[in-house]
Amino acid sequence: MATPDHLFNLRNNFYLGAYQAAINSSEVNGLSQDDVVERDSLVYRCYIALGQLQFVISEINDSAPTPLQAVKLLALYFSSPDSKEAAISSIKEWLADPAIGNNATLRLVAGIIFLHEQDFNEALKYTNAGGTMELTALNVQIFIKMHRSDYAERQLRIMQQIDEDHTLTQLANAWLDLSVGGSKIQEAHLIFQDLSERYQSTSLLLNGKAVCCMQMGNFDEAETLLVEALNKDARDPETLANLVVCCLHLGKPSSKSFSQLKLSHPDHVLVKRVSAAEESFDRALQSVS
């Protein structure tokens, strides 16, 4: 008889982006020591996703187990531009330590950090061996970013062989369908819709459906979904970025959403691209003046 998965609800809520619900479901009795560490790691990652970085940094002390130390490094990385170099230096040092270097959470955090750094080869150095569903799902994301849907599909097949109905498998399938495009967009939309109906409608799932709608040219429907997502989390960077794009296609003002994004997430790829375009435009003006 299989042992019950005491952390299923916590884990599943985290994957779906229901971070507060995950935190609320974290008080579980009868956990093993390993389960306690996994639970605490997930809870602190929820707080990171909610932007409560200093809380995580102050709560995890230097004697905490390796997975928690890794999560603390992730919080440090996101806490300020000045902390990034120190976090990257520390994680490389820990990954080189034979005693802890193969820890799954440490490798996952390394993958997340180097994915954010757009250093895909460095990310894959630590994630490509897999070992957990979350590491394999991260591989799917990395290969999609590299425009290698063929490699992403191989990673998805691994996940499907392990558990086709797993939430991460379903999400990875939808991400891949979105990147492939064409008739696959409708399939991605159905996955996001199914997850919304089976569990709950979160900002992450609403954004997924909205991106599908935009790719199918249904910008009015996309806007409705994004406004709903904004009501759930007014600071979510993907919602704000997608709303900017959607409003531009609809011919509606987008400056408010962009200003919010620029203020709360100055490192977001859309902010960087717009800033680079503005600088190029200014240089072009100067060259003809």
Side-chain angles (χ1 to χ4, degrees):
M1 183 178 172
T3 55
D5 184 355
H6 297 295
L7 297 179
F8 175 82
N9 287 333
L10 166 60
R11 212 182 284 116
N12 210 54
N13 280 324
F14 174 74
Y15 298 151
L16 293 167
Y19 303 117
Q20 192 58 56
I23 293 167
N24 294 345
S25 66
S26 63
E27 289 302 320
V28 183
N29 296 321
L31 296 179
S32 67
Q33 190 55 45
D34 285 346
D35 283 345
V36 168
V37 172
E38 184 186 357
R39 177 198 64 192
D40 291 349
S41 298
L42 286 165
V43 167
Y44 285 127
R45 287 173 66 195
C46 287
Y47 281 115
I48 290 174
L50 292 170
Q52 298 184 37
L53 304 171
Q54 291 305 320
F55 171 74
V56 175
I57 293 166
S58 63
E59 282 288 304
I60 301 173
N61 60 49
D62 293 339
S63 62
T66 299
L68 294 181
Q69 293 290 349
V71 172
K72 182 177 182 176
L73 266 188
L74 187 63
L76 280 166
Y77 172 80
F78 285 125
S79 64
S80 73
D82 296 336
S83 303
K84 285 189 175 184
E85 271 190 45
I88 291 170
S89 176
S90 293
I91 204 156
K92 283 186 173 180
E93 185 182 326
W94 294 1
L95 288 159
D97 184 342
I100 60 172
N102 200 40
N103 180 271
T105 304
L106 182 61
R107 291 192 294 121
L108 180 72
V109 167
I112 293 168
I113 286 174
F114 290 115
L115 176 59
H116 274 269
E117 289 290 305
Q118 304 282 305
D119 192 344
F120 306 127
N121 290 327
E122 191 69 16
L124 287 169
K125 191 188 295 183
Y126 308 112
T127 64
N128 203 30
T132 68
M133 290 295 274
E134 207 172 351
L135 277 165
T136 313
L138 185 57
N139 285 335
V140 172
Q141 288 183 298
I142 294 167
F143 285 126
I144 288 171
K145 287 279 189 181
M146 296 172 75
H147 306 289
R148 291 306 305 262
S149 58
D150 52 339
Y151 283 110
E153 188 168 358
R154 289 182 202 173
Q155 295 294 314
L156 176 60
R157 296 286 169 261
I158 293 169
M159 298 178 75
Q160 289 172 331
Q161 286 166 11
I162 296 168
D163 186 351
E164 193 166 11
D165 294 325
H166 195 289
T167 296
L168 280 178
T169 306
Q170 293 297 307
L171 285 171
N173 200 341
W175 301 331
L176 182 57
D177 285 345
L178 266 174
S179 73
V180 171
S183 61
K184 291 286 186 180
I185 301 296
Q186 186 62 45
E187 292 178 30
H189 189 278
L190 288 171
I191 292 171
F192 290 127
Q193 182 62 35
D194 178 62
L195 288 171
S196 299
E197 292 172 358
R198 201 188 317 172
Y199 300 112
Q200 60 175 299
S201 187
T202 64
S203 181
L204 182 147
L205 295 175
L206 288 164
N207 270 275
K209 287 195 284 185
V211 171
C212 291
C213 288
M214 284 194 281
Q215 289 212 25
M216 291 187 289
N218 301 331
F219 293 100
D220 286 319
E221 187 179 344
E223 184 187 25
T224 301
L225 291 164
L226 290 169
V227 169
E228 187 181 342
L230 207 61
N231 288 334
K232 290 180 181 292
D233 183 358
R235 295 180 70 254
D236 179 65
E238 298 315 309
T239 304
L240 291 168
N242 286 327
L243 200 52
V244 169
V245 174
C246 189
C247 287
L248 287 171
H249 278 278
L250 289 168
K252 293 183 176 182
S254 60
S255 56
K256 184 181 176 184
S257 297
F258 184 74
S259 296
Q260 285 178 275
L261 180 65
K262 191 173 183 179
L263 187 66
S264 58
H265 297 87
D267 286 337
H268 193 277
V269 62
L270 183 63
V271 174
K272 287 183 173 180
R273 283 178 181 171
V274 171
S275 297
E278 286 173 346
E279 287 170 14
S280 296
F281 183 70
D282 289 342
R283 283 197 300 272
L285 278 180
Q286 288 168 6
S287 68
V288 295
S289 60

